[in-house]
Amino acid sequence: MFNNKVILITGGTGSFGQQYTRTLLKRYQPKKIIIFSRDELKQYEMQQVFNGPEMRYFIGDVRDKERIMQACRGVDFIIHAAALKHVPAAEYNPTECIHTNITGAENVIRAAIGNNVSRTIALSTDKAACPVNLYGATKLASDKLFVAANNMVGDQDTRFSVVRYGNVVGSRGSVVPFFKKLIDEGAEKLPITDENMTRFWITLQEGVDFVLKNFTRMQGGEIFVPKIPSIRITDLAKAMAPNLPIEIVGIRPGEKLKETMCPEDDSHLTLEFDDHYVIKPTIRFHSGGLNEYAINKLQERGEPVEKGVSYNSEDNHHFLTVEEIRALNKQEQL
């Protein structure tokens, strides 16, 4: 699907963008991979690793609609990964988060339509479901924008979908590198916000593979949600430092005890497939063929979930044990 195609990744110097690039180069022969981001140092560092003739590096910000419009010329596929993601920072800097996560999403949509980009997938987060923090609220707004964009394309073959998943093991700014830093510095205890806190858990490669597959699955308008395990934060601490005591420090601004990916209020829209869920749009599209999602482009069949069902990290049937968490961290070299 990606052979001889042009792929643009917004926020492409981040953990996801780099792993996605690595995977594309390993499995396909893309014509071009365009890394679009605003940090010249991160681009320089990424160029030392990925410097083949198919690589392009564009300095730009998704807030700048003219620059993203220019960057999308001749592009076949967009992965929109650029976002301000730090929950407390968003609480203290709400306007900046809105500019990037909402206005930036709108700019990417207009650039995709204006350049006849075939398929765009926007990365979302479990925090966009039943949001209680500003980051989650901006990503929910972004999700709604990308879903509704399918009504703006007219007779173009341009489609938009969303991928929503939970915490990525070891991603920059996440709890695992934070704990590792404390342990390496000789900390006498690990700070835990709440002993009842649970989170969805996915590896970076699993996230990349899920996005890749959904470019083939997508019809336009879906929110794709993978079936992934949960962890207890206390078990993560035990896995990383079994001999260190924990200290309960309280929930940070905007933080939740559990995360949800398929809300109860969306259960009438949710389809369950073998390894993932699809949340159907709340609106109907005017373009033909965009309102039936029970059978996807890979001929996989989904069934409606029971009304009132919520897919959340606390009620998840699959929790990783301490030993499984430790093995996963070792696999990810954390």
Side-chain angles (χ1 to χ4, degrees):
M1 183 176 190
F2 298 99
N3 289 336
N4 202 35
K5 299 296 184 180
V6 180
I7 304 104
L8 181 140
I9 310 172
T10 70
T13 56
S15 303
F16 178 91
Q18 295 203 39
Q19 189 65 19
Y20 202 93
T21 298
R22 183 177 292 107
T23 303
L24 282 174
L25 293 173
K26 182 178 180 180
R27 299 180 186 174
Y28 304 96
Q29 291 81 47
K31 183 178 179 180
K32 279 193 290 189
I33 299 175
I34 301 171
I35 303 300
F36 184 91
S37 70
R38 61 185 182 176
D39 191 318
E40 61 179 340
L41 175 60
K42 289 179 182 177
Q43 287 202 9
Y44 170 77
E45 291 172 343
M46 187 170 176
Q47 280 181 289
Q48 309 314 302
V49 181
F50 304 103
N51 56 6
E54 64 283 296
M55 297 300 302
R56 302 289 188 277
Y57 293 87
F58 277 45
I59 292 176
D61 195 316
V62 291
R63 298 184 185 195
D64 184 343
K65 60 183 178 182
E66 292 183 4
R67 182 58 170 161
I68 187 66
M69 180 69 76
Q70 182 184 47
C72 287
R73 290 176 184 167
V75 167
D76 297 296
F77 303 108
I78 297 173
I79 300 97
H80 178 49
L84 293 182
K85 304 173 183 177
H86 194 265
V87 171
E91 296 295 299
Y92 285 106
N93 303 275
T95 305
E96 297 304 306
C97 191
I98 290 168
H99 286 332
T100 296
N101 295 358
I102 298 179
T103 306
E106 185 176 6
N107 290 339
V108 170
I109 289 166
R110 293 187 183 280
I113 295 173
N115 286 284
N116 278 320
V117 174
S118 175
R119 298 288 183 268
T120 297
I121 285 182
L123 299 192
S124 186
T125 167
D126 47 14
K127 294 171 179 63
C130 308
V132 301
N133 52 58
L134 186 87
Y135 167 54
T138 61
K139 292 303 286 184
L140 175 60
S142 172
D143 292 355
K144 294 291 187 180
L145 284 168
F146 276 98
V147 170
N150 292 281
N151 262 342
M152 299 166 57
V153 299
D155 59 359
Q156 292 180 207
D157 183 31
T158 299
R159 296 291 180 263
F160 301 87
S161 292
V162 175
V163 166
R164 175 185 293 169
Y165 53 72
N167 290 41
V168 176
V169 181
S171 62
R172 289 184 300 194
S174 69
V175 65
V176 174
F178 174 62
F179 279 176
K180 187 175 186 300
K181 180 174 181 291
L182 292 177
I183 294 166
D184 291 344
E185 292 175 350
E188 296 181 356
K189 51 192 172 183
L190 289 184
I192 300 290
T193 50
D194 192 288
E195 58 188 349
N196 295 313
M197 185 172 287
T198 60
R199 288 293 183 266
F200 286 109
W201 215 237
I202 187 172
T203 68
L204 192 55
Q205 188 61 55
E206 286 170 340
V208 166
D209 290 342
F210 189 61
V211 172
L212 280 168
K213 196 165 189 177
N214 288 328
F215 269 109
T216 306
R217 284 178 170 139
M218 66 181 282
Q219 299 177 60
E222 312 96 323
I223 298 177
F224 292 99
V225 175
K227 292 182 179 179
I228 54 178
S230 293
I231 66 160
R232 297 174 180 85
I233 297 300
T234 51
D235 287 343
L236 175 64
K238 291 175 186 175
M240 296 188 68
N243 298 319
L244 284 185
I246 63 173
E247 177 187 17
I248 306 300
V249 296
I251 291 179
R252 301 180 302 168
E255 201 168 35
K256 291 197 281 188
L257 285 180
K258 66 179 181 182
E259 294 291 0
T260 301
M261 288 206 283
C262 299
E264 177 183 341
D265 291 331
D266 279 343
S267 60
H268 65 293
L269 299 168
T270 304
L271 297 169
E272 181 175 7
F273 292 77
D274 285 344
D275 63 351
H276 69 285
Y277 296 93
V278 164
I279 302 176
K280 299 185 293 183
T282 59
I283 59 175
R284 291 190 65 83
F285 298 123
H286 302 297
S287 301
L290 275 187
N291 296 301
E292 297 298 331
Y293 297 97
I295 301 178
N296 63 28
K297 293 288 188 179
L298 292 178
Q299 299 303 305
E300 299 167 326
R301 182 179 294 275
E303 298 292 337
V305 302
E306 294 182 14
K307 287 186 178 180
V309 167
S310 166
Y311 180 45
N312 64 75
S313 62
E314 184 177 74
D315 298 330
N316 194 359
H317 72 279
H318 183 192
F319 270 83
L320 296 178
T321 65
V322 172
E323 291 73 20
E324 287 172 330
I325 295 171
R326 188 176 293 125
L328 198 59
N329 287 351
K330 185 176 181 181
Q331 172 190 314
E332 298 297 298
Q333 297 181 335
L334 300 170

